[in-house]
Amino acid sequence: MRRLVRAWRDYWFRDASLLNLAVCRVVIVATQLKVLASMSYDTEAALPAAMYDPLPVLHLMLAPVGWHYRPSLAAVEAIHNLTLGAGVLALVGLFTSVGLVVFAAGNVFLQAYQYSFGNFHHPEAPIIIGLMILALSPAGGALSIDDLWKRIRSNVRRLEFEPARLLERTSPYAGWPLRLIQWTLGLVYLSAAYAKLRDGGLDWTNGYTLRYYLVQDGLIWGSDLALWFGTQHFLAQILSWLTLLVEGTFFLAVLFPPLAWLYLPAAAGLHLGIELTLRAPFLRWVALYSAFIPWNRAVRKVSIWWERHAKEATDVFFDGHCALCLRSVTALDYLDWGGRLRFRNLEAEGTILTAARPDVDLADLRAEMHVVGPDGEMRRGFFAFRHLAGRLPLLGPLALLLRLPGAGRIGPRIYAVIARHRRRRLHCNGAACAVHDGTQA
Amino acid sequence: MRSLDKALISLVILGFLTVQAIAGSGKTIGPFERAPYQWPFLDYPMYSLPRFEGDEVGRPLLVGIEPDSTEVEIEPQDLGLDIFPYIRGPLRAVRYGNREAAELFRDLYEARQGVRVIGFEIEERPIVITRAGYRPGPPKRVASMTFEPWYNYRTNP
């Protein structure tokens, strides 16, 4: 028994990457936000009361206002908007835990409401289960404003820059949500294969079955592609076997993770085919495949490739006694997944630059940001910031904005204003304040 | 504290897996009489029934009977419905003789179209699956319902 408990703990609670969980959060929440944004409730609101048959989960959620209560259209739309807002928070990672709980609960409510009028579908269920799992997990532990803010406060409080090291951070609570999502998908696919074998045995692969459903849904949705496939008997037989094989053995990708690289494209192809022919929106399940992908390893591989094939890192010189500077470099470091920036504290490493550039002294370095790019060129202030934005793919849109005509003239002025007033913005103490005041430079 | 956390999470894991496994096998849990009531934990039996050569793909259509015996085809959009509420609403009501529900859809149709109907029929226009492809089958009326006791849709002009 003890061995079983240990095996259980080793499986579900071994250290796992917080980045992997965070990427999964971003992908699943973004996918469901897109679905939610397209939902409307006018049809349900117009249906007669006799058709209202709430699902048990909706009964439970509405119990405080009445077991058979039917919410008005205005109330449902208000919950829809609240859920959208919570989803945006969960996506960017601001108040992540609360955002995820509200987003998951809101989606359960809204989907259950739509399914309480005799209209019932399957595509949403696994994603909503995934959201429920994420809501119970530390999915905001990385790639979130919450986490960035925590790091900024910590670095500023200690007046010491400590890199985020997103790729290396792990938690014993980061693995179970990913594995549970994987197993949920495995069980869902197994259920689909089981139903086919239970209802039809291997007759399901006779070609007529798949063609029948292609013609049926092709007529309903007006899909010419489905109607064409509906005439291809041999192809239908092959696709039937493949469908049964992928659905029935998908769980092997959970047990043996390297097989995921075989099963994920196969299952995604299956859903793409279903979406194109039967118009059934199961392709969104691909968002759940993000739970299978070791994002941290993928990013690390890209970083290594970048270091080998692209350019050297950009040196960013910052004042370690300046809270504003610490905030900036903490944020930049947080976005630098590829290791393209190398942060150098002036107090310890400023002489590297002043020795190489006699025209620059420490006072210059403290006055505004300095970076030295892979091309050896030194940039200051606004131009340094623009260079950094260009080096970080996650700041790509900002980099484009900073390259707009006129930005090179307006940008330095705005930067100068901020730099001039940063003394007032500092939460610094003692000598560090004096340094930024310019009095001791 | 950590052990307690892990124990609670373990219960959540076991709960999710158990409910999904039971629901996925098509069984129901506790008082829930059929699988959809366990939503979002479901079974996935879509498209699972086997089909064979000669099977007919049903294409049911709701037909309204006006007082002068004119027949009018009622599509989902005429009732402001999508295809699935159309199948599960008026088509099911007429097919299974649920007069109360059918009258609600009659009222809905009359309010939206400004046309009075005194009965509904369901017409099937099947497609027959063959080895070489498919062909249309003969249309047939499979169900009818009248809202006027005096009216016989077969004999009235």
Side-chain angles (χ1 to χ4, degrees), chain A residues 32 35-36 39 107-108 110-112 114-115 119-131 281-282 284-285 288, chain B residues 39-40 42 44:
Chain A
Q32 189 57 25
V35 172
L36 189 64
M39 282 169 71
N107 273 289
V108 168
L110 294 166
Q111 205 63 70
Q114 283 202 324
Y115 288 164
N119 183 20
F120 186 80
H121 301 290
H122 285 74
E124 298 82 9
I127 291 194
I128 287 186
I129 293 173
L131 281 175
F282 288 95
R284 67 183 68 154
W285 287 10
L288 295 171
Chain B
W39 187 90
L42 299 171
Y44 290 80

PDB file of all heavy atoms in Angstrom, chain A residues 32 35-36 39 107-108 110-112 114-115 119-131 281-282 284-285 288, chain B residues 39-40 42 44:
ATOM      1  N   GLN A  32     -10.922  29.260 -25.370  1.00  0.00           N
ATOM      2  CA  GLN A  32     -12.287  29.352 -24.838  1.00  0.00           C
ATOM      3  C   GLN A  32     -12.809  30.788 -24.905  1.00  0.00           C
ATOM      4  O   GLN A  32     -14.006  31.010 -25.085  1.00  0.00           O
ATOM      5  CB  GLN A  32     -12.328  28.814 -23.394  1.00  0.00           C
ATOM      6  CG  GLN A  32     -13.718  28.671 -22.821  1.00  0.00           C
ATOM      7  CD  GLN A  32     -14.644  27.779 -23.652  1.00  0.00           C
ATOM      8  OE1 GLN A  32     -14.180  26.913 -24.380  1.00  0.00           O
ATOM      9  NE2 GLN A  32     -15.948  28.021 -23.571  1.00  0.00           N
ATOM     10  N   VAL A  35     -14.268  31.157 -28.263  1.00  0.00           N
ATOM     11  CA  VAL A  35     -15.585  30.489 -28.311  1.00  0.00           C
ATOM     12  C   VAL A  35     -16.629  31.347 -27.603  1.00  0.00           C
ATOM     13  O   VAL A  35     -17.727  31.588 -28.113  1.00  0.00           O
ATOM     14  CB  VAL A  35     -15.497  29.092 -27.643  1.00  0.00           C
ATOM     15  CG1 VAL A  35     -16.886  28.465 -27.514  1.00  0.00           C
ATOM     16  CG2 VAL A  35     -14.582  28.175 -28.437  1.00  0.00           C
ATOM     17  N   LEU A  36     -16.259  31.831 -26.430  1.00  0.00           N
ATOM     18  CA  LEU A  36     -17.200  32.603 -25.610  1.00  0.00           C
ATOM     19  C   LEU A  36     -17.624  33.889 -26.323  1.00  0.00           C
ATOM     20  O   LEU A  36     -18.796  34.276 -26.290  1.00  0.00           O
ATOM     21  CB  LEU A  36     -16.528  32.936 -24.272  1.00  0.00           C
ATOM     22  CG  LEU A  36     -17.405  33.541 -23.193  1.00  0.00           C
ATOM     23  CD1 LEU A  36     -18.482  32.565 -22.750  1.00  0.00           C
ATOM     24  CD2 LEU A  36     -16.561  33.962 -21.995  1.00  0.00           C
ATOM     25  N   MET A  39     -20.529  33.496 -28.593  1.00  0.00           N
ATOM     26  CA  MET A  39     -21.784  32.939 -28.063  1.00  0.00           C
ATOM     27  C   MET A  39     -22.838  34.027 -27.896  1.00  0.00           C
ATOM     28  O   MET A  39     -22.546  35.133 -27.457  1.00  0.00           O
ATOM     29  CB  MET A  39     -21.545  32.257 -26.703  1.00  0.00           C
ATOM     30  CG  MET A  39     -20.922  30.870 -26.829  1.00  0.00           C
ATOM     31  SD  MET A  39     -20.355  30.202 -25.262  1.00  0.00           S
ATOM     32  CE  MET A  39     -21.886  29.851 -24.434  1.00  0.00           C
ATOM     33  N   ASN A 107     -18.116  29.828 -17.600  1.00  0.00           N
ATOM     34  CA  ASN A 107     -18.289  28.986 -18.787  1.00  0.00           C
ATOM     35  C   ASN A 107     -19.200  27.792 -18.512  1.00  0.00           C
ATOM     36  O   ASN A 107     -20.007  27.416 -19.366  1.00  0.00           O
ATOM     37  CB  ASN A 107     -16.927  28.492 -19.292  1.00  0.00           C
ATOM     38  CG  ASN A 107     -16.298  29.491 -20.238  1.00  0.00           C
ATOM     39  OD1 ASN A 107     -16.756  29.662 -21.353  1.00  0.00           O
ATOM     40  ND2 ASN A 107     -15.272  30.188 -19.765  1.00  0.00           N
ATOM     41  N   VAL A 108     -19.043  27.210 -17.330  1.00  0.00           N
ATOM     42  CA  VAL A 108     -19.935  26.098 -16.963  1.00  0.00           C
ATOM     43  C   VAL A 108     -21.380  26.602 -16.972  1.00  0.00           C
ATOM     44  O   VAL A 108     -22.275  25.976 -17.553  1.00  0.00           O
ATOM     45  CB  VAL A 108     -19.561  25.541 -15.564  1.00  0.00           C
ATOM     46  CG1 VAL A 108     -20.651  24.600 -15.057  1.00  0.00           C
ATOM     47  CG2 VAL A 108     -18.234  24.811 -15.625  1.00  0.00           C
ATOM     48  N   LEU A 110     -22.767  29.302 -18.474  1.00  0.00           N
ATOM     49  CA  LEU A 110     -23.295  29.746 -19.772  1.00  0.00           C
ATOM     50  C   LEU A 110     -23.543  28.573 -20.715  1.00  0.00           C
ATOM     51  O   LEU A 110     -24.560  28.519 -21.410  1.00  0.00           O
ATOM     52  CB  LEU A 110     -22.324  30.743 -20.413  1.00  0.00           C
ATOM     53  CG  LEU A 110     -22.188  32.061 -19.645  1.00  0.00           C
ATOM     54  CD1 LEU A 110     -20.983  32.850 -20.135  1.00  0.00           C
ATOM     55  CD2 LEU A 110     -23.455  32.895 -19.783  1.00  0.00           C
ATOM     56  N   GLN A 111     -22.601  27.613 -20.716  1.00  0.00           N
ATOM     57  CA  GLN A 111     -22.792  26.474 -21.600  1.00  0.00           C
ATOM     58  C   GLN A 111     -23.935  25.598 -21.108  1.00  0.00           C
ATOM     59  O   GLN A 111     -24.746  25.106 -21.903  1.00  0.00           O
ATOM     60  CB  GLN A 111     -21.486  25.672 -21.670  1.00  0.00           C
ATOM     61  CG  GLN A 111     -21.328  24.866 -22.934  1.00  0.00           C
ATOM     62  CD  GLN A 111     -21.274  25.734 -24.191  1.00  0.00           C
ATOM     63  OE1 GLN A 111     -20.301  26.429 -24.399  1.00  0.00           O
ATOM     64  NE2 GLN A 111     -22.305  25.689 -25.009  1.00  0.00           N
ATOM     65  N   ALA A 112     -24.007  25.426 -19.784  1.00  0.00           N
ATOM     66  CA  ALA A 112     -25.103  24.623 -19.219  1.00  0.00           C
ATOM     67  C   ALA A 112     -26.446  25.291 -19.515  1.00  0.00           C
ATOM     68  O   ALA A 112     -27.437  24.613 -19.796  1.00  0.00           O
ATOM     69  CB  ALA A 112     -24.911  24.449 -17.720  1.00  0.00           C
ATOM     70  N   GLN A 114     -27.163  27.129 -22.171  1.00  0.00           N
ATOM     71  CA  GLN A 114     -27.496  26.857 -23.578  1.00  0.00           C
ATOM     72  C   GLN A 114     -27.944  25.417 -23.795  1.00  0.00           C
ATOM     73  O   GLN A 114     -28.727  25.141 -24.701  1.00  0.00           O
ATOM     74  CB  GLN A 114     -26.283  27.154 -24.466  1.00  0.00           C
ATOM     75  CG  GLN A 114     -26.067  28.633 -24.694  1.00  0.00           C
ATOM     76  CD  GLN A 114     -25.261  28.912 -25.947  1.00  0.00           C
ATOM     77  OE1 GLN A 114     -24.355  28.165 -26.291  1.00  0.00           O
ATOM     78  NE2 GLN A 114     -25.568  30.003 -26.613  1.00  0.00           N
ATOM     79  N   TYR A 115     -27.436  24.517 -22.960  1.00  0.00           N
ATOM     80  CA  TYR A 115     -27.775  23.102 -23.117  1.00  0.00           C
ATOM     81  C   TYR A 115     -29.002  22.701 -22.294  1.00  0.00           C
ATOM     82  O   TYR A 115     -29.262  21.512 -22.122  1.00  0.00           O
ATOM     83  CB  TYR A 115     -26.588  22.232 -22.723  1.00  0.00           C
ATOM     84  CG  TYR A 115     -25.462  22.285 -23.720  1.00  0.00           C
ATOM     85  CD1 TYR A 115     -24.192  21.846 -23.398  1.00  0.00           C
ATOM     86  CD2 TYR A 115     -25.677  22.773 -25.011  1.00  0.00           C
ATOM     87  CE1 TYR A 115     -23.162  21.901 -24.318  1.00  0.00           C
ATOM     88  CE2 TYR A 115     -24.657  22.834 -25.926  1.00  0.00           C
ATOM     89  CZ  TYR A 115     -23.397  22.395 -25.579  1.00  0.00           C
ATOM     90  OH  TYR A 115     -22.394  22.450 -26.490  1.00  0.00           O
ATOM     91  N   ASN A 119     -31.023  21.242 -26.576  1.00  0.00           N
ATOM     92  CA  ASN A 119     -29.985  21.379 -27.593  1.00  0.00           C
ATOM     93  C   ASN A 119     -28.662  21.004 -26.947  1.00  0.00           C
ATOM     94  O   ASN A 119     -28.209  21.690 -26.040  1.00  0.00           O
ATOM     95  CB  ASN A 119     -29.947  22.833 -28.067  1.00  0.00           C
ATOM     96  CG  ASN A 119     -28.958  23.042 -29.177  1.00  0.00           C
ATOM     97  OD1 ASN A 119     -28.562  22.093 -29.841  1.00  0.00           O
ATOM     98  ND2 ASN A 119     -28.561  24.282 -29.389  1.00  0.00           N
ATOM     99  N   PHE A 120     -28.069  19.929 -27.408  1.00  0.00           N
ATOM    100  CA  PHE A 120     -26.953  19.399 -26.651  1.00  0.00           C
ATOM    101  C   PHE A 120     -25.813  18.956 -27.556  1.00  0.00           C
ATOM    102  O   PHE A 120     -26.025  18.229 -28.512  1.00  0.00           O
ATOM    103  CB  PHE A 120     -27.452  18.200 -25.839  1.00  0.00           C
ATOM    104  CG  PHE A 120     -26.423  17.682 -24.917  1.00  0.00           C
ATOM    105  CD1 PHE A 120     -26.205  18.309 -23.727  1.00  0.00           C
ATOM    106  CD2 PHE A 120     -25.656  16.593 -25.274  1.00  0.00           C
ATOM    107  CE1 PHE A 120     -25.217  17.858 -22.882  1.00  0.00           C
ATOM    108  CE2 PHE A 120     -24.675  16.136 -24.433  1.00  0.00           C
ATOM    109  CZ  PHE A 120     -24.467  16.767 -23.226  1.00  0.00           C
ATOM    110  N   HIS A 121     -24.581  19.414 -27.235  1.00  0.00           N
ATOM    111  CA  HIS A 121     -23.411  19.039 -28.043  1.00  0.00           C
ATOM    112  C   HIS A 121     -22.227  18.675 -27.145  1.00  0.00           C
ATOM    113  O   HIS A 121     -22.249  18.918 -25.944  1.00  0.00           O
ATOM    114  CB  HIS A 121     -23.005  20.185 -28.960  1.00  0.00           C
ATOM    115  CG  HIS A 121     -24.109  20.583 -29.890  1.00  0.00           C
ATOM    116  ND1 HIS A 121     -24.527  19.792 -30.924  1.00  0.00           N
ATOM    117  CD2 HIS A 121     -24.898  21.673 -29.907  1.00  0.00           C
ATOM    118  CE1 HIS A 121     -25.517  20.386 -31.553  1.00  0.00           C
ATOM    119  NE2 HIS A 121     -25.773  21.526 -30.956  1.00  0.00           N
ATOM    120  N   HIS A 122     -21.208  18.141 -27.798  1.00  0.00           N
ATOM    121  CA  HIS A 122     -20.058  17.628 -27.042  1.00  0.00           C
ATOM    122  C   HIS A 122     -18.783  18.471 -27.106  1.00  0.00           C
ATOM    123  O   HIS A 122     -17.921  18.314 -26.251  1.00  0.00           O
ATOM    124  CB  HIS A 122     -19.712  16.223 -27.547  1.00  0.00           C
ATOM    125  CG  HIS A 122     -20.670  15.184 -27.071  1.00  0.00           C
ATOM    126  ND1 HIS A 122     -21.941  15.068 -27.579  1.00  0.00           N
ATOM    127  CD2 HIS A 122     -20.550  14.218 -26.131  1.00  0.00           C
ATOM    128  CE1 HIS A 122     -22.563  14.072 -26.976  1.00  0.00           C
ATOM    129  NE2 HIS A 122     -21.745  13.541 -26.095  1.00  0.00           N
ATOM    130  N   PRO A 123     -18.558  19.322 -28.120  1.00  0.00           N
ATOM    131  CA  PRO A 123     -17.220  19.909 -28.294  1.00  0.00           C
ATOM    132  C   PRO A 123     -16.718  20.738 -27.114  1.00  0.00           C
ATOM    133  O   PRO A 123     -15.516  20.842 -26.906  1.00  0.00           O
ATOM    134  CB  PRO A 123     -17.381  20.803 -29.535  1.00  0.00           C
ATOM    135  CG  PRO A 123     -18.513  20.216 -30.276  1.00  0.00           C
ATOM    136  CD  PRO A 123     -19.451  19.683 -29.227  1.00  0.00           C
ATOM    137  N   GLU A 124     -17.604  21.325 -26.343  1.00  0.00           N
ATOM    138  CA  GLU A 124     -17.151  22.227 -25.278  1.00  0.00           C
ATOM    139  C   GLU A 124     -16.681  21.492 -24.023  1.00  0.00           C
ATOM    140  O   GLU A 124     -15.870  22.025 -23.258  1.00  0.00           O
ATOM    141  CB  GLU A 124     -18.263  23.193 -24.881  1.00  0.00           C
ATOM    142  CG  GLU A 124     -18.733  24.120 -25.988  1.00  0.00           C
ATOM    143  CD  GLU A 124     -19.726  23.460 -26.916  1.00  0.00           C
ATOM    144  OE1 GLU A 124     -20.178  22.336 -26.589  1.00  0.00           O
ATOM    145  OE2 GLU A 124     -20.039  24.034 -27.972  1.00  0.00           O
ATOM    146  N   ALA A 125     -17.225  20.291 -23.792  1.00  0.00           N
ATOM    147  CA  ALA A 125     -17.047  19.645 -22.491  1.00  0.00           C
ATOM    148  C   ALA A 125     -15.581  19.445 -22.069  1.00  0.00           C
ATOM    149  O   ALA A 125     -15.212  19.869 -20.963  1.00  0.00           O
ATOM    150  CB  ALA A 125     -17.806  18.330 -22.462  1.00  0.00           C
ATOM    151  N   PRO A 126     -14.712  18.844 -22.906  1.00  0.00           N
ATOM    152  CA  PRO A 126     -13.337  18.624 -22.424  1.00  0.00           C
ATOM    153  C   PRO A 126     -12.608  19.928 -22.112  1.00  0.00           C
ATOM    154  O   PRO A 126     -11.822  19.983 -21.162  1.00  0.00           O
ATOM    155  CB  PRO A 126     -12.663  17.888 -23.591  1.00  0.00           C
ATOM    156  CG  PRO A 126     -13.770  17.280 -24.355  1.00  0.00           C
ATOM    157  CD  PRO A 126     -14.918  18.234 -24.235  1.00  0.00           C
ATOM    158  N   ILE A 127     -12.870  20.961 -22.889  1.00  0.00           N
ATOM    159  CA  ILE A 127     -12.176  22.238 -22.629  1.00  0.00           C
ATOM    160  C   ILE A 127     -12.675  22.827 -21.304  1.00  0.00           C
ATOM    161  O   ILE A 127     -11.890  23.384 -20.529  1.00  0.00           O
ATOM    162  CB  ILE A 127     -12.385  23.216 -23.798  1.00  0.00           C
ATOM    163  CG1 ILE A 127     -11.619  22.663 -25.003  1.00  0.00           C
ATOM    164  CG2 ILE A 127     -11.891  24.614 -23.444  1.00  0.00           C
ATOM    165  CD1 ILE A 127     -11.422  23.610 -26.131  1.00  0.00           C
ATOM    166  N   ILE A 128     -13.948  22.679 -21.034  1.00  0.00           N
ATOM    167  CA  ILE A 128     -14.465  23.208 -19.765  1.00  0.00           C
ATOM    168  C   ILE A 128     -13.915  22.392 -18.594  1.00  0.00           C
ATOM    169  O   ILE A 128     -13.572  22.960 -17.550  1.00  0.00           O
ATOM    170  CB  ILE A 128     -16.004  23.251 -19.809  1.00  0.00           C
ATOM    171  CG1 ILE A 128     -16.400  24.415 -20.739  1.00  0.00           C
ATOM    172  CG2 ILE A 128     -16.603  23.406 -18.420  1.00  0.00           C
ATOM    173  CD1 ILE A 128     -17.842  24.732 -20.832  1.00  0.00           C
ATOM    174  N   ILE A 129     -13.761  21.095 -18.777  1.00  0.00           N
ATOM    175  CA  ILE A 129     -13.111  20.292 -17.723  1.00  0.00           C
ATOM    176  C   ILE A 129     -11.668  20.784 -17.555  1.00  0.00           C
ATOM    177  O   ILE A 129     -11.184  20.939 -16.428  1.00  0.00           O
ATOM    178  CB  ILE A 129     -13.144  18.785 -18.075  1.00  0.00           C
ATOM    179  CG1 ILE A 129     -14.592  18.276 -18.052  1.00  0.00           C
ATOM    180  CG2 ILE A 129     -12.291  17.994 -17.085  1.00  0.00           C
ATOM    181  CD1 ILE A 129     -14.753  16.839 -18.541  1.00  0.00           C
ATOM    182  N   GLY A 130     -10.999  21.046 -18.667  1.00  0.00           N
ATOM    183  CA  GLY A 130      -9.629  21.570 -18.605  1.00  0.00           C
ATOM    184  C   GLY A 130      -9.564  22.878 -17.827  1.00  0.00           C
ATOM    185  O   GLY A 130      -8.654  23.090 -17.017  1.00  0.00           O
ATOM    186  N   LEU A 131     -10.533  23.750 -18.055  1.00  0.00           N
ATOM    187  CA  LEU A 131     -10.568  25.028 -17.325  1.00  0.00           C
ATOM    188  C   LEU A 131     -10.780  24.800 -15.828  1.00  0.00           C
ATOM    189  O   LEU A 131     -10.174  25.483 -14.994  1.00  0.00           O
ATOM    190  CB  LEU A 131     -11.703  25.912 -17.861  1.00  0.00           C
ATOM    191  CG  LEU A 131     -11.442  26.643 -19.168  1.00  0.00           C
ATOM    192  CD1 LEU A 131     -12.692  27.378 -19.616  1.00  0.00           C
ATOM    193  CD2 LEU A 131     -10.291  27.631 -19.014  1.00  0.00           C
ATOM    194  N   PRO A 281     -17.359  21.241 -34.589  1.00  0.00           N
ATOM    195  CA  PRO A 281     -16.199  22.041 -34.149  1.00  0.00           C
ATOM    196  C   PRO A 281     -15.345  21.378 -33.074  1.00  0.00           C
ATOM    197  O   PRO A 281     -15.223  21.863 -31.961  1.00  0.00           O
ATOM    198  CB  PRO A 281     -16.860  23.316 -33.613  1.00  0.00           C
ATOM    199  CG  PRO A 281     -18.188  22.862 -33.110  1.00  0.00           C
ATOM    200  CD  PRO A 281     -18.610  21.707 -33.976  1.00  0.00           C
ATOM    201  N   PHE A 282     -14.772  20.226 -33.425  1.00  0.00           N
ATOM    202  CA  PHE A 282     -13.926  19.531 -32.447  1.00  0.00           C
ATOM    203  C   PHE A 282     -12.457  19.940 -32.551  1.00  0.00           C
ATOM    204  O   PHE A 282     -11.653  19.527 -31.743  1.00  0.00           O
ATOM    205  CB  PHE A 282     -14.041  18.015 -32.625  1.00  0.00           C
ATOM    206  CG  PHE A 282     -15.359  17.467 -32.156  1.00  0.00           C
ATOM    207  CD1 PHE A 282     -16.393  17.273 -33.044  1.00  0.00           C
ATOM    208  CD2 PHE A 282     -15.576  17.177 -30.825  1.00  0.00           C
ATOM    209  CE1 PHE A 282     -17.625  16.789 -32.620  1.00  0.00           C
ATOM    210  CE2 PHE A 282     -16.800  16.696 -30.379  1.00  0.00           C
ATOM    211  CZ  PHE A 282     -17.829  16.498 -31.281  1.00  0.00           C
ATOM    212  N   ARG A 284     -11.140  22.538 -31.805  1.00  0.00           N
ATOM    213  CA  ARG A 284     -10.712  23.319 -30.639  1.00  0.00           C
ATOM    214  C   ARG A 284     -10.063  22.449 -29.559  1.00  0.00           C
ATOM    215  O   ARG A 284      -9.363  22.950 -28.701  1.00  0.00           O
ATOM    216  CB  ARG A 284     -11.894  24.099 -30.062  1.00  0.00           C
ATOM    217  CG  ARG A 284     -12.963  23.238 -29.450  1.00  0.00           C
ATOM    218  CD  ARG A 284     -14.132  24.051 -28.954  1.00  0.00           C
ATOM    219  NE  ARG A 284     -14.873  24.662 -30.038  1.00  0.00           N
ATOM    220  CZ  ARG A 284     -16.166  24.996 -29.945  1.00  0.00           C
ATOM    221  NH1 ARG A 284     -16.817  24.804 -28.815  1.00  0.00           N
ATOM    222  NH2 ARG A 284     -16.810  25.540 -30.943  1.00  0.00           N
ATOM    223  N   TRP A 285     -10.290  21.139 -29.633  1.00  0.00           N
ATOM    224  CA  TRP A 285      -9.650  20.245 -28.654  1.00  0.00           C
ATOM    225  C   TRP A 285      -8.136  20.291 -28.769  1.00  0.00           C
ATOM    226  O   TRP A 285      -7.439  19.904 -27.839  1.00  0.00           O
ATOM    227  CB  TRP A 285     -10.121  18.801 -28.846  1.00  0.00           C
ATOM    228  CG  TRP A 285     -11.534  18.558 -28.396  1.00  0.00           C
ATOM    229  CD1 TRP A 285     -12.453  19.498 -28.032  1.00  0.00           C
ATOM    230  CD2 TRP A 285     -12.183  17.292 -28.275  1.00  0.00           C
ATOM    231  NE1 TRP A 285     -13.639  18.904 -27.703  1.00  0.00           N
ATOM    232  CE2 TRP A 285     -13.510  17.552 -27.844  1.00  0.00           C
ATOM    233  CE3 TRP A 285     -11.795  15.978 -28.489  1.00  0.00           C
ATOM    234  CZ2 TRP A 285     -14.435  16.525 -27.623  1.00  0.00           C
ATOM    235  CZ3 TRP A 285     -12.715  14.970 -28.275  1.00  0.00           C
ATOM    236  CH2 TRP A 285     -14.007  15.244 -27.839  1.00  0.00           C
ATOM    237  N   LEU A 288      -6.135  21.587 -26.018  1.00  0.00           N
ATOM    238  CA  LEU A 288      -5.796  20.739 -24.869  1.00  0.00           C
ATOM    239  C   LEU A 288      -4.498  19.965 -25.097  1.00  0.00           C
ATOM    240  O   LEU A 288      -3.882  19.492 -24.150  1.00  0.00           O
ATOM    241  CB  LEU A 288      -6.939  19.758 -24.584  1.00  0.00           C
ATOM    242  CG  LEU A 288      -8.256  20.396 -24.137  1.00  0.00           C
ATOM    243  CD1 LEU A 288      -9.371  19.372 -24.089  1.00  0.00           C
ATOM    244  CD2 LEU A 288      -8.116  21.053 -22.773  1.00  0.00           C
TER     245      LEU A 288
ATOM    246  N   TRP B  39     -23.172  16.437 -17.462  1.00  0.00           N
ATOM    247  CA  TRP B  39     -22.351  17.413 -18.150  1.00  0.00           C
ATOM    248  C   TRP B  39     -21.565  18.251 -17.144  1.00  0.00           C
ATOM    249  O   TRP B  39     -22.137  18.665 -16.149  1.00  0.00           O
ATOM    250  CB  TRP B  39     -23.268  18.320 -18.993  1.00  0.00           C
ATOM    251  CG  TRP B  39     -22.507  19.246 -19.865  1.00  0.00           C
ATOM    252  CD1 TRP B  39     -22.094  19.029 -21.133  1.00  0.00           C
ATOM    253  CD2 TRP B  39     -22.067  20.562 -19.527  1.00  0.00           C
ATOM    254  NE1 TRP B  39     -21.410  20.116 -21.600  1.00  0.00           N
ATOM    255  CE2 TRP B  39     -21.371  21.062 -20.631  1.00  0.00           C
ATOM    256  CE3 TRP B  39     -22.169  21.356 -18.377  1.00  0.00           C
ATOM    257  CZ2 TRP B  39     -20.798  22.327 -20.636  1.00  0.00           C
ATOM    258  CZ3 TRP B  39     -21.592  22.608 -18.373  1.00  0.00           C
ATOM    259  CH2 TRP B  39     -20.916  23.080 -19.501  1.00  0.00           C
ATOM    260  N   PRO B  40     -20.272  18.555 -17.355  1.00  0.00           N
ATOM    261  CA  PRO B  40     -19.499  18.324 -18.597  1.00  0.00           C
ATOM    262  C   PRO B  40     -18.803  16.972 -18.689  1.00  0.00           C
ATOM    263  O   PRO B  40     -17.945  16.795 -19.559  1.00  0.00           O
ATOM    264  CB  PRO B  40     -18.471  19.454 -18.548  1.00  0.00           C
ATOM    265  CG  PRO B  40     -18.224  19.681 -17.099  1.00  0.00           C
ATOM    266  CD  PRO B  40     -19.523  19.389 -16.399  1.00  0.00           C
ATOM    267  N   LEU B  42     -19.017  13.443 -19.928  1.00  0.00           N
ATOM    268  CA  LEU B  42     -19.921  12.861 -20.924  1.00  0.00           C
ATOM    269  C   LEU B  42     -19.370  11.572 -21.523  1.00  0.00           C
ATOM    270  O   LEU B  42     -18.178  11.303 -21.443  1.00  0.00           O
ATOM    271  CB  LEU B  42     -20.100  13.846 -22.082  1.00  0.00           C
ATOM    272  CG  LEU B  42     -20.705  15.204 -21.777  1.00  0.00           C
ATOM    273  CD1 LEU B  42     -20.582  16.084 -22.990  1.00  0.00           C
ATOM    274  CD2 LEU B  42     -22.151  15.050 -21.362  1.00  0.00           C
ATOM    275  N   TYR B  44     -19.204   9.720 -25.424  1.00  0.00           N
ATOM    276  CA  TYR B  44     -19.044  10.277 -26.779  1.00  0.00           C
ATOM    277  C   TYR B  44     -19.539   9.281 -27.831  1.00  0.00           C
ATOM    278  O   TYR B  44     -18.749   8.739 -28.603  1.00  0.00           O
ATOM    279  CB  TYR B  44     -17.583  10.673 -27.000  1.00  0.00           C
ATOM    280  CG  TYR B  44     -17.232  11.873 -26.155  1.00  0.00           C
ATOM    281  CD1 TYR B  44     -16.930  11.730 -24.811  1.00  0.00           C
ATOM    282  CD2 TYR B  44     -17.272  13.154 -26.674  1.00  0.00           C
ATOM    283  CE1 TYR B  44     -16.674  12.833 -24.002  1.00  0.00           C
ATOM    284  CE2 TYR B  44     -17.013  14.255 -25.885  1.00  0.00           C
ATOM    285  CZ  TYR B  44     -16.715  14.085 -24.547  1.00  0.00           C
ATOM    286  OH  TYR B  44     -16.467  15.185 -23.764  1.00  0.00           O
TER     287      TYR B  44
END
